[in-house]
């Protein structure tokens, strides 16, 4: 085997190794990023769809500004205010009556003042329900699944 052929084989193995490491790192990173965290995911989308307008009115801003702050691409001051004012968010998905159809969703938000709470109801399409919630509906045959969500996550 000539030196040129050896270098070609080494280069091929080297790039294959780099590719494997990159793919492995991407898989690890995607598994460590929880779906319910504020950075994104289906649970965050459900919360923002239900609460962004109310939070915007409460904080005298636009819903798009709320979304950007929660997702980390907006004003840090608005995000800090949300973190300090929004104490708890609970999302309850109620099993669709007919198999895999839209779920009734109740989103309850408690602010820093315990007497100040906001409850909204909405419908979440089957494909927009977080994977873990859908799995519980299917596997455990339960009627309600609850998830907690936080701006600070």
């Amino acid at each position: 085997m000539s030196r040129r052929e050896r270098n070609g084989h080494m280069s091929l193995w080297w790039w294959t190794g780099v590719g494997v490491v990159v793919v492995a790192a991407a898989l690890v990173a995607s598994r460590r990023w929880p779906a319910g965290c504020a950075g994104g995911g289906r649970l965050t989308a459900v919360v923002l769809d239900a609460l962004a307008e109310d939070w915007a009115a409460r904080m005298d801003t636009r819903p798009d500004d709320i979304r950007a702050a929660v997702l980390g691409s907006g004003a840090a001051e608005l995000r800090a205010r949300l973190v300090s004012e929004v104490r708890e968010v609970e999302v309850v998905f109620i099993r669709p009556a007919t198999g895999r159809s839209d779920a009734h969703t109740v989103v309850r938000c408690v602010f820093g003042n315990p007497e100040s709470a906001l409850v909204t109801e909405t419908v979440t399409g089957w494909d927009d329900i977080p994977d873990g919630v859908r799995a519980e509906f299917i596997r455990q045959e339960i009627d309600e699944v609850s998830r907690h969500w936080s701006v600070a996550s």
Side-chain angles (χ1 to χ4, degrees):
M1 183 181 284
S2 73
R3 184 175 183 184
R4 185 177 196 158
E5 288 173 332
R6 260 193 316 245
N7 286 342
H9 287 296
M10 292 270 300
S11 180
L12 176 65
W13 282 109
W14 189 84
W15 282 110
T16 302
V18 168
V20 168
V21 169
V22 168
V23 169
L27 286 172
V28 168
S30 70
R31 289 180 185 261
R32 289 188 154 200
W33 193 269
C37 84
R42 290 184 179 143
L43 186 58
T44 298
V46 170
V47 169
L48 288 173
D49 287 346
L51 300 175
E53 287 187 33
D54 290 314
W55 286 351
R58 183 179 181 93
M59 299 187 184
D60 195 31
T61 189
R62 299 174 312 147
D64 288 342
D65 295 337
I66 295 290
R67 288 177 188 278
V70 167
L71 296 173
S73 62
E77 301 84 27
L78 181 57
R79 181 177 173 80
R81 186 170 171 205
L82 283 165
V83 168
S84 72
E85 289 192 28
V86 176
R87 190 174 77 184
E88 175 186 338
V89 175
E90 179 183 24
V91 183
V92 178
F93 296 91
I94 301 168
R95 183 181 189 90
T98 57
R100 297 178 180 178
S101 60
D102 299 346
H104 182 77
T105 308
V106 178
V107 182
R108 180 176 171 267
C109 174
V110 177
F111 295 97
N113 174 357
E115 292 90 40
S116 179
L118 171 66
V119 177
T120 64
E121 295 184 35
T122 186
V123 174
T124 304
W126 181 257
D127 291 336
D128 296 325
I129 297 172
D131 294 339
V133 173
R134 281 196 318 248
E136 284 186 53
F137 279 149
I138 293 168
R139 185 178 55 249
Q140 298 178 11
E141 297 185 17
I142 54 180
D143 292 333
E144 288 186 9
V145 176
S146 174
R147 292 288 187 266
H148 289 278
W149 180 91
S150 171
V151 176
S153 297

